[in-house]
Amino acid sequence: MYGVRMEFEQILNDVVGDVRASLGKGSVANYIPALAIADPTKFAIAVATVDGGLYSAGDANDRFSIQSISKIFALSQAFAILGNDLWGRVSRENAGSELNSLLLLELGAGMPRNPLSNSGAIVTTDVILTENGKETKNVLLEFVKERSGNSEIGFNEEIAQLEVEHGHRTKALSYLLASFKNLENHPKTVAMLYFYQCAIEANCVDLAKSLLYLTNKGYCPISGRQVISASQARRINSILLTCGHYDVSGDFAFRVGLPGKSSVSGAITVVVPGKMAIAAWSPALNRDGVSLVALEALELFATKTGLSIF
Ligand code: GLN
């Protein structure tokens, strides 16, 4: 697609070389011990193209908990279930604040600012729970397995338990949502399922493949299923662009120019509509909570390939 295959692989290898000097800068998340022990010198990048190409470089087989990347999958499923009624329960505006703000939720009278904030993801999880009942935990996991084509993907139980144990603020958000009657299920159950989906473990190759449906008008070429409509895929991409990186989505759009989502474990996933999905990972975060090296790598990648939606 972009010159011969070798040329494309060369770009990824060049990116690995270029970011080497930055490895170790930034700090790994430490709100739970299992994340605090992540090796900050790890780095991987993977690209999956809609026409079946797969390219990767660095520690592409290393698994990590996907954390907030799961919010994309929860949003997709909730949007498929409720259609536009979803927007009666969650807005589509950048939060301009930390991702787990109780204050914003209070000010919004229980309406999360967007589905990629913690409160927004609790609402999308609640929608999935109402639809699937006791099967929900499995449904959340199956979604990632089917999209990536990797049946080995599972939960990291230790991380899930630690999230449940330490996630006081997220639990508070669930109860606040319930107080505003924006949850249909018990806040404790919804929060537990939210934590579990954050604890799904995958590698960069899995994540790049799993997002192909968003590059491909809602059709997942791996499972052969229309996951969401083309219109829904377009709309989710717009939310990724405007709300995917906490308080610095504008900076990400400026530097990378593509819809994407950051996570506290150091993964960043990016969608190039019609072309490919990219996942980059390095555990150390910058002051904004975005992976310092993954961001640098994606900026370099976008510059070298000229891929941007602008
Ligand atoms: N589990 C994390 C939390 O709930 C996910 C946050 C993230 O990846 N940004 O705070």
Side-chain angles (χ1 to χ4, degrees):
M1 187 186 296
Y2 298 96
V4 287
R5 186 190 164 95
M6 277 306 291
E7 220 174 282
F8 204 57
E9 280 181 351
Q10 187 61 49
I11 290 176
L12 290 187
N13 287 328
D14 287 351
V15 167
V16 172
D18 291 348
V19 299
R20 198 161 285 142
S22 299
L23 286 172
K25 289 187 193 159
S27 359
V28 299
N30 59 5
Y31 72 95
I32 53 172
L35 288 179
I37 58 167
D39 178 352
T41 64
K42 291 279 184 180
F43 170 71
I45 184 162
V47 174
T49 64
V50 282
D51 54 7
L54 191 59
Y55 311 88
S56 65
D59 304 307
N61 293 321
D62 282 35
R63 288 174 159 204
F64 44 84
S65 55
I66 67 172
Q67 298 293 345
S68 280
I69 306 295
S70 64
K71 294 177 167 99
I72 308 174
F73 304 131
L75 167 59
S76 302
Q77 291 171 87
F79 203 3
I81 294 166
L82 282 192
N84 283 329
D85 287 348
L86 180 63
W87 311 120
R89 295 189 55 190
V90 56
S91 303
R92 308 181 293 258
E93 294 299 343
N94 186 284
S97 177
E98 44 181 321
L99 92 158
N100 52 11
S101 167
L102 283 153
L103 185 64
L104 274 187
L105 188 59
E106 175 77 15
L107 288 173
M111 182 91 160
R113 292 284 290 176
N114 67 67
L116 303 177
S117 64
N118 279 13
S119 53
I122 294 164
V123 167
T124 54
T125 306
D126 183 59
V127 172
I128 301 168
L129 176 56
T130 298
E131 180 81 359
N132 295 287
K134 287 193 169 27
E135 281 306 304
T136 303
K137 191 173 146 192
N138 196 36
V139 166
L140 295 169
L141 180 60
E142 280 303 315
F143 187 89
V144 187
K145 286 179 166 184
E146 284 176 21
R147 297 295 77 75
S148 63
N150 184 355
S151 58
E152 311 265 284
I153 290 176
F155 295 108
N156 180 321
E157 274 299 329
E158 187 201 356
I159 291 190
Q161 290 310 323
L162 286 165
E163 297 272 355
V164 172
E165 209 176 298
H166 293 264
H168 303 302
R169 182 175 280 267
T170 297
K171 284 187 249 177
L173 287 168
S174 301
Y175 281 90
L176 192 54
L177 282 163
S179 81
F180 282 109
K181 307 216 175 333
N182 198 1
L183 287 188
E184 292 174 335
N185 300 280
H186 196 285
K188 192 172 169 188
T189 315
V190 187
M192 192 267 290
L193 289 163
Y194 164 86
F195 291 130
Y196 263 89
Q197 66 189 340
C198 287
I200 291 173
E201 249 186 347
N203 61 34
C204 274
V205 172
D206 297 326
L207 284 185
K209 287 166 85 178
S210 71
L211 285 167
L212 279 174
Y213 70 100
L214 285 178
T215 75
N216 202 27
K217 301 189 164 118
Y219 179 81
C220 168
I222 292 171
S223 59
R225 285 195 48 200
Q226 188 74 39
V227 181
I228 46 176
S229 69
S231 156
Q232 288 174 329
R234 253 196 332 268
R235 282 147 207 277
I236 290 177
N237 287 338
S238 77
I239 295 171
L240 290 173
L241 184 79
T242 51
C243 310
H245 313 274
Y246 323 121
D247 201 14
V248 285
S249 299
D251 184 56
F252 193 87
F254 183 87
R255 291 174 63 179
V256 182
L258 292 164
K261 179 79 200 86
S262 293
S263 84
V264 79
S265 53
I268 307 179
T269 53
V270 156
V271 172
V272 189
K275 296 192 173 77
M276 64 187 75
I278 310 160
W281 166 71
S282 188
L285 310 178
N286 66 19
R287 278 199 209 133
D288 303 310
V290 174
S291 171
L292 190 144
V293 175
L295 172 60
E296 197 175 306
L298 289 168
E299 186 175 10
L300 280 165
F301 181 86
T303 306
K304 286 176 196 284
T305 57
L307 288 166
S308 157
I309 59 167
F310 301 108

